[in-house]
Amino acid sequence: MLAVLDRGAYRFPVWQFDPQGEDGLLPGLPDVLDALEPQQPFAKLVWLRRPNPTLEGREPTELLRDHEIEPVVDAAHAAAELP
């Protein structure tokens, strides 16, 4: 699960939750968050919500909702290696 510190309080973006999901989260989200290490939480949030050229211009969260997890994890590993 992703939490971002905002004005002294942790915020949990609602888009990451899926009540139909196995663990209540967007499918594959824990794997993607792990792959994005050591990026900071806010950088992870931005990466997950922006259209990504590696993913044909789609947002990573969109692919996760469609259960297309592997390409998002691969793109996350590549992004984590960037300075």
Side-chain angles (χ1 to χ4, degrees):
M1 180 177 332
L2 180 64
V4 178
L5 189 59
D6 178 34
R7 292 174 273 181
Y10 283 99
R11 311 285 181 197
F12 298 87
V14 70
W15 51 259
Q16 69 184 325
F17 299 104
D18 178 3
Q20 305 301 318
E22 182 178 315
D23 55 4
L25 295 174
L26 197 59
L29 183 65
D31 295 330
V32 173
L33 293 175
D34 286 345
L36 286 170
E37 286 297 326
Q39 301 293 325
Q40 296 295 316
F42 188 76
K44 292 177 184 181
L45 175 121
V46 170
W47 188 88
L48 282 158
R49 295 298 295 169
R50 281 199 179 150
N52 189 308
T54 305
L55 301 171
E56 299 177 356
R58 296 172 69 192
E59 285 185 15
T61 54
E62 178 185 350
L63 276 85
L64 293 177
R65 268 188 236 103
D66 291 341
H67 298 268
E68 297 178 44
I69 298 165
E70 188 174 337
V72 180
V73 171
D74 292 344
H77 278 294
E81 295 174 6
L82 297 174

